[in-house]
Amino acid sequence: MLNSPEILKMFVEELDRVVRKQQLVQESDFAQLNYIEACAREAFRLNPFAPLNIPHVSMSDTVVSNHFIPQGSYAILSRLGTLKFGTSH
């Protein structure tokens, strides 16, 4: 947000509108803080706290990037690799 002042401004405006300036955030405020929730989700997407997704099981024989994956195989996907290299690797 420090690199995007317009995003920070929208964040603060929503916080001031919902919570007001001199109050603390209450659990009941969360339902109205949609932009702040979106910012938090994006922060976790870009900087995941866990490096791997949950394991997936192949439901049928398949080929991915010229690699044969038999039915019933477990696949563990790296979040960090996906973020660094995109979906083409």
Side-chain angles (χ1 to χ4, degrees):
M1 282 192 217
L2 295 176
N3 294 330
S4 303
E6 64 279 356
I7 292 175
L8 179 60
K9 181 181 178 195
M10 290 171 48
F11 186 98
V12 171
E13 285 174 358
E14 181 177 79
L15 195 59
D16 289 344
R17 178 178 49 79
V18 173
V19 181
R20 294 186 250 341
K21 291 193 182 220
Q22 299 299 320
Q23 295 181 354
L24 296 175
V25 176
Q26 302 295 318
E27 189 173 350
S28 59
D29 297 327
F30 291 161
Q32 298 173 19
L33 297 172
N34 297 321
Y35 189 76
I36 292 173
E37 179 183 358
C39 289
R41 288 181 183 270
E42 181 66 2
F44 284 127
R45 185 187 72 82
L46 294 173
N47 302 294
F49 55 88
L52 303 173
N53 280 331
I54 59 172
H56 290 69
V57 178
S58 174
M59 299 193 60
S60 63
D61 291 348
T62 190
V63 176
V64 177
S65 297
N66 294 328
H67 296 282
F68 175 71
I69 301 173
Q71 179 181 357
S73 297
Y74 286 87
I76 300 175
L77 306 173
S78 168
R79 290 181 177 179
L80 301 177
T82 302
L83 291 172
K84 183 175 179 183
F85 300 113
T87 57
S88 63
H89 286 81

PDB file of all heavy atoms in Angstrom, residues 45-48 50-53 76-89:
ATOM      1  N   ARG A  45      -2.384 -13.604  -0.909  1.00  0.00           N
ATOM      2  CA  ARG A  45      -2.151 -14.264  -2.193  1.00  0.00           C
ATOM      3  C   ARG A  45      -0.729 -13.988  -2.684  1.00  0.00           C
ATOM      4  O   ARG A  45      -0.034 -14.873  -3.151  1.00  0.00           O
ATOM      5  CB  ARG A  45      -3.161 -13.773  -3.237  1.00  0.00           C
ATOM      6  CG  ARG A  45      -3.059 -14.518  -4.572  1.00  0.00           C
ATOM      7  CD  ARG A  45      -3.955 -13.891  -5.621  1.00  0.00           C
ATOM      8  NE  ARG A  45      -3.464 -12.620  -6.091  1.00  0.00           N
ATOM      9  CZ  ARG A  45      -2.523 -12.469  -7.021  1.00  0.00           C
ATOM     10  NH1 ARG A  45      -1.937 -13.521  -7.570  1.00  0.00           N
ATOM     11  NH2 ARG A  45      -2.144 -11.268  -7.402  1.00  0.00           N
ATOM     12  N   LEU A  46      -0.300 -12.759  -2.539  1.00  0.00           N
ATOM     13  CA  LEU A  46       1.041 -12.386  -3.002  1.00  0.00           C
ATOM     14  C   LEU A  46       2.143 -12.871  -2.066  1.00  0.00           C
ATOM     15  O   LEU A  46       3.265 -13.105  -2.502  1.00  0.00           O
ATOM     16  CB  LEU A  46       1.129 -10.866  -3.158  1.00  0.00           C
ATOM     17  CG  LEU A  46       0.254 -10.271  -4.251  1.00  0.00           C
ATOM     18  CD1 LEU A  46       0.309  -8.752  -4.195  1.00  0.00           C
ATOM     19  CD2 LEU A  46       0.671 -10.787  -5.620  1.00  0.00           C
ATOM     20  N   ASN A  47       1.847 -13.002  -0.785  1.00  0.00           N
ATOM     21  CA  ASN A  47       2.827 -13.434   0.210  1.00  0.00           C
ATOM     22  C   ASN A  47       2.217 -14.533   1.072  1.00  0.00           C
ATOM     23  O   ASN A  47       1.870 -14.297   2.229  1.00  0.00           O
ATOM     24  CB  ASN A  47       3.248 -12.251   1.092  1.00  0.00           C
ATOM     25  CG  ASN A  47       3.828 -11.128   0.284  1.00  0.00           C
ATOM     26  OD1 ASN A  47       4.874 -11.274  -0.309  1.00  0.00           O
ATOM     27  ND2 ASN A  47       3.119 -10.013   0.227  1.00  0.00           N
ATOM     28  N   PRO A  48       2.066 -15.741   0.496  1.00  0.00           N
ATOM     29  CA  PRO A  48       1.390 -16.805   1.247  1.00  0.00           C
ATOM     30  C   PRO A  48       2.162 -17.196   2.499  1.00  0.00           C
ATOM     31  O   PRO A  48       3.390 -17.211   2.518  1.00  0.00           O
ATOM     32  CB  PRO A  48       1.321 -17.964   0.256  1.00  0.00           C
ATOM     33  CG  PRO A  48       2.372 -17.683  -0.747  1.00  0.00           C
ATOM     34  CD  PRO A  48       2.540 -16.195  -0.801  1.00  0.00           C
ATOM     35  N   ALA A  50       1.863 -20.165   3.847  1.00  0.00           N
ATOM     36  CA  ALA A  50       2.216 -21.576   3.670  1.00  0.00           C
ATOM     37  C   ALA A  50       2.729 -21.751   2.238  1.00  0.00           C
ATOM     38  O   ALA A  50       2.094 -21.284   1.292  1.00  0.00           O
ATOM     39  CB  ALA A  50       1.007 -22.473   3.909  1.00  0.00           C
ATOM     40  N   PRO A  51       3.879 -22.396   2.048  1.00  0.00           N
ATOM     41  CA  PRO A  51       4.457 -22.479   0.716  1.00  0.00           C
ATOM     42  C   PRO A  51       3.756 -23.462  -0.217  1.00  0.00           C
ATOM     43  O   PRO A  51       3.939 -23.392  -1.429  1.00  0.00           O
ATOM     44  CB  PRO A  51       5.893 -22.927   0.980  1.00  0.00           C
ATOM     45  CG  PRO A  51       5.819 -23.640   2.283  1.00  0.00           C
ATOM     46  CD  PRO A  51       4.740 -22.968   3.068  1.00  0.00           C
ATOM     47  N   LEU A  52       2.943 -24.387   0.311  1.00  0.00           N
ATOM     48  CA  LEU A  52       2.318 -25.407  -0.523  1.00  0.00           C
ATOM     49  C   LEU A  52       0.802 -25.395  -0.381  1.00  0.00           C
ATOM     50  O   LEU A  52       0.268 -25.113   0.694  1.00  0.00           O
ATOM     51  CB  LEU A  52       2.832 -26.801  -0.149  1.00  0.00           C
ATOM     52  CG  LEU A  52       4.346 -27.008  -0.236  1.00  0.00           C
ATOM     53  CD1 LEU A  52       4.721 -28.367   0.315  1.00  0.00           C
ATOM     54  CD2 LEU A  52       4.828 -26.863  -1.663  1.00  0.00           C
ATOM     55  N   ASN A  53       0.114 -25.708  -1.477  1.00  0.00           N
ATOM     56  CA  ASN A  53      -1.332 -25.912  -1.419  1.00  0.00           C
ATOM     57  C   ASN A  53      -1.618 -27.269  -0.800  1.00  0.00           C
ATOM     58  O   ASN A  53      -0.721 -28.099  -0.638  1.00  0.00           O
ATOM     59  CB  ASN A  53      -1.927 -25.889  -2.830  1.00  0.00           C
ATOM     60  CG  ASN A  53      -2.128 -24.489  -3.354  1.00  0.00           C
ATOM     61  OD1 ASN A  53      -2.342 -23.561  -2.598  1.00  0.00           O
ATOM     62  ND2 ASN A  53      -2.068 -24.347  -4.663  1.00  0.00           N
ATOM     63  N   ILE A  76       1.184 -32.136  -5.203  1.00  0.00           N
ATOM     64  CA  ILE A  76       1.311 -31.042  -4.243  1.00  0.00           C
ATOM     65  C   ILE A  76       1.871 -29.856  -5.021  1.00  0.00           C
ATOM     66  O   ILE A  76       2.965 -29.921  -5.567  1.00  0.00           O
ATOM     67  CB  ILE A  76       2.235 -31.424  -3.070  1.00  0.00           C
ATOM     68  CG1 ILE A  76       1.670 -32.640  -2.341  1.00  0.00           C
ATOM     69  CG2 ILE A  76       2.398 -30.248  -2.126  1.00  0.00           C
ATOM     70  CD1 ILE A  76       2.550 -33.171  -1.243  1.00  0.00           C
ATOM     71  N   LEU A  77       1.102 -28.784  -5.071  1.00  0.00           N
ATOM     72  CA  LEU A  77       1.472 -27.621  -5.861  1.00  0.00           C
ATOM     73  C   LEU A  77       2.118 -26.558  -4.986  1.00  0.00           C
ATOM     74  O   LEU A  77       1.648 -26.266  -3.893  1.00  0.00           O
ATOM     75  CB  LEU A  77       0.223 -27.040  -6.539  1.00  0.00           C
ATOM     76  CG  LEU A  77      -0.577 -28.040  -7.369  1.00  0.00           C
ATOM     77  CD1 LEU A  77      -1.866 -27.405  -7.856  1.00  0.00           C
ATOM     78  CD2 LEU A  77       0.252 -28.555  -8.514  1.00  0.00           C
ATOM     79  N   SER A  78       3.191 -25.982  -5.504  1.00  0.00           N
ATOM     80  CA  SER A  78       3.890 -24.922  -4.789  1.00  0.00           C
ATOM     81  C   SER A  78       3.253 -23.580  -5.102  1.00  0.00           C
ATOM     82  O   SER A  78       3.141 -23.188  -6.253  1.00  0.00           O
ATOM     83  CB  SER A  78       5.360 -24.897  -5.193  1.00  0.00           C
ATOM     84  OG  SER A  78       5.981 -23.729  -4.723  1.00  0.00           O
ATOM     85  N   ARG A  79       2.832 -22.870  -4.085  1.00  0.00           N
ATOM     86  CA  ARG A  79       2.295 -21.523  -4.289  1.00  0.00           C
ATOM     87  C   ARG A  79       3.408 -20.573  -4.705  1.00  0.00           C
ATOM     88  O   ARG A  79       3.218 -19.693  -5.517  1.00  0.00           O
ATOM     89  CB  ARG A  79       1.657 -21.002  -3.015  1.00  0.00           C
ATOM     90  CG  ARG A  79       0.395 -21.688  -2.659  1.00  0.00           C
ATOM     91  CD  ARG A  79      -0.178 -21.091  -1.405  1.00  0.00           C
ATOM     92  NE  ARG A  79      -1.442 -21.710  -1.108  1.00  0.00           N
ATOM     93  CZ  ARG A  79      -2.171 -21.407  -0.070  1.00  0.00           C
ATOM     94  NH1 ARG A  79      -1.765 -20.488   0.770  1.00  0.00           N
ATOM     95  NH2 ARG A  79      -3.314 -22.005   0.135  1.00  0.00           N
ATOM     96  N   LEU A  80       4.552 -20.738  -4.117  1.00  0.00           N
ATOM     97  CA  LEU A  80       5.650 -19.821  -4.407  1.00  0.00           C
ATOM     98  C   LEU A  80       6.106 -19.958  -5.849  1.00  0.00           C
ATOM     99  O   LEU A  80       6.387 -18.978  -6.517  1.00  0.00           O
ATOM    100  CB  LEU A  80       6.808 -20.074  -3.443  1.00  0.00           C
ATOM    101  CG  LEU A  80       6.467 -19.901  -1.962  1.00  0.00           C
ATOM    102  CD1 LEU A  80       7.670 -20.238  -1.089  1.00  0.00           C
ATOM    103  CD2 LEU A  80       5.984 -18.503  -1.689  1.00  0.00           C
ATOM    104  N   GLY A  81       6.178 -21.192  -6.343  1.00  0.00           N
ATOM    105  CA  GLY A  81       6.560 -21.398  -7.737  1.00  0.00           C
ATOM    106  C   GLY A  81       5.546 -20.814  -8.692  1.00  0.00           C
ATOM    107  O   GLY A  81       5.892 -20.233  -9.720  1.00  0.00           O
ATOM    108  N   THR A  82       4.272 -20.942  -8.390  1.00  0.00           N
ATOM    109  CA  THR A  82       3.229 -20.392  -9.230  1.00  0.00           C
ATOM    110  C   THR A  82       3.323 -18.881  -9.282  1.00  0.00           C
ATOM    111  O   THR A  82       3.203 -18.278 -10.319  1.00  0.00           O
ATOM    112  CB  THR A  82       1.839 -20.808  -8.720  1.00  0.00           C
ATOM    113  OG1 THR A  82       1.778 -22.228  -8.690  1.00  0.00           O
ATOM    114  CG2 THR A  82       0.729 -20.278  -9.598  1.00  0.00           C
ATOM    115  N   LEU A  83       3.570 -18.264  -8.141  1.00  0.00           N
ATOM    116  CA  LEU A  83       3.674 -16.810  -8.113  1.00  0.00           C
ATOM    117  C   LEU A  83       4.921 -16.323  -8.830  1.00  0.00           C
ATOM    118  O   LEU A  83       4.902 -15.328  -9.527  1.00  0.00           O
ATOM    119  CB  LEU A  83       3.696 -16.306  -6.672  1.00  0.00           C
ATOM    120  CG  LEU A  83       2.382 -16.454  -5.909  1.00  0.00           C
ATOM    121  CD1 LEU A  83       2.589 -16.113  -4.452  1.00  0.00           C
ATOM    122  CD2 LEU A  83       1.303 -15.592  -6.525  1.00  0.00           C
ATOM    123  N   LYS A  84       6.010 -17.058  -8.695  1.00  0.00           N
ATOM    124  CA  LYS A  84       7.273 -16.614  -9.287  1.00  0.00           C
ATOM    125  C   LYS A  84       7.288 -16.821 -10.797  1.00  0.00           C
ATOM    126  O   LYS A  84       7.728 -15.968 -11.552  1.00  0.00           O
ATOM    127  CB  LYS A  84       8.417 -17.396  -8.640  1.00  0.00           C
ATOM    128  CG  LYS A  84       9.783 -16.963  -9.123  1.00  0.00           C
ATOM    129  CD  LYS A  84      10.884 -17.662  -8.376  1.00  0.00           C
ATOM    130  CE  LYS A  84      12.236 -17.244  -8.860  1.00  0.00           C
ATOM    131  NZ  LYS A  84      13.304 -17.953  -8.190  1.00  0.00           N
ATOM    132  N   PHE A  85       6.780 -17.961 -11.242  1.00  0.00           N
ATOM    133  CA  PHE A  85       6.907 -18.318 -12.644  1.00  0.00           C
ATOM    134  C   PHE A  85       5.613 -18.228 -13.432  1.00  0.00           C
ATOM    135  O   PHE A  85       5.600 -18.423 -14.623  1.00  0.00           O
ATOM    136  CB  PHE A  85       7.458 -19.748 -12.788  1.00  0.00           C
ATOM    137  CG  PHE A  85       8.805 -19.913 -12.170  1.00  0.00           C
ATOM    138  CD1 PHE A  85       8.984 -20.706 -11.052  1.00  0.00           C
ATOM    139  CD2 PHE A  85       9.910 -19.268 -12.692  1.00  0.00           C
ATOM    140  CE1 PHE A  85      10.228 -20.844 -10.478  1.00  0.00           C
ATOM    141  CE2 PHE A  85      11.156 -19.413 -12.120  1.00  0.00           C
ATOM    142  CZ  PHE A  85      11.315 -20.200 -11.014  1.00  0.00           C
ATOM    143  N   GLY A  86       4.489 -17.953 -12.775  1.00  0.00           N
ATOM    144  CA  GLY A  86       3.213 -17.918 -13.469  1.00  0.00           C
ATOM    145  C   GLY A  86       2.707 -19.330 -13.733  1.00  0.00           C
ATOM    146  O   GLY A  86       3.218 -20.302 -13.192  1.00  0.00           O
ATOM    147  N   THR A  87       1.711 -19.455 -14.575  1.00  0.00           N
ATOM    148  CA  THR A  87       1.091 -20.757 -14.817  1.00  0.00           C
ATOM    149  C   THR A  87       1.709 -21.484 -16.004  1.00  0.00           C
ATOM    150  O   THR A  87       1.292 -22.585 -16.318  1.00  0.00           O
ATOM    151  CB  THR A  87      -0.416 -20.590 -15.050  1.00  0.00           C
ATOM    152  OG1 THR A  87      -0.594 -19.686 -16.160  1.00  0.00           O
ATOM    153  CG2 THR A  87      -1.100 -20.039 -13.815  1.00  0.00           C
ATOM    154  N   SER A  88       2.679 -20.919 -16.680  1.00  0.00           N
ATOM    155  CA  SER A  88       3.233 -21.565 -17.873  1.00  0.00           C
ATOM    156  C   SER A  88       4.296 -22.597 -17.538  1.00  0.00           C
ATOM    157  O   SER A  88       4.726 -23.336 -18.412  1.00  0.00           O
ATOM    158  CB  SER A  88       3.820 -20.519 -18.813  1.00  0.00           C
ATOM    159  OG  SER A  88       4.897 -19.848 -18.176  1.00  0.00           O
ATOM    160  N   HIS A  89       4.763 -22.695 -16.287  1.00  0.00           N
ATOM    161  CA  HIS A  89       5.794 -23.691 -15.932  1.00  0.00           C
ATOM    162  C   HIS A  89       5.223 -24.793 -15.115  1.00  0.00           C
ATOM    163  O   HIS A  89       4.335 -24.695 -14.387  1.00  0.00           O
ATOM    164  CB  HIS A  89       6.921 -23.020 -15.155  1.00  0.00           C
ATOM    165  CG  HIS A  89       7.790 -22.178 -16.020  1.00  0.00           C
ATOM    166  ND1 HIS A  89       7.417 -20.904 -16.389  1.00  0.00           N
ATOM    167  CD2 HIS A  89       8.957 -22.415 -16.639  1.00  0.00           C
ATOM    168  CE1 HIS A  89       8.355 -20.396 -17.159  1.00  0.00           C
ATOM    169  NE2 HIS A  89       9.292 -21.281 -17.334  1.00  0.00           N
TER     170      HIS A  89
END
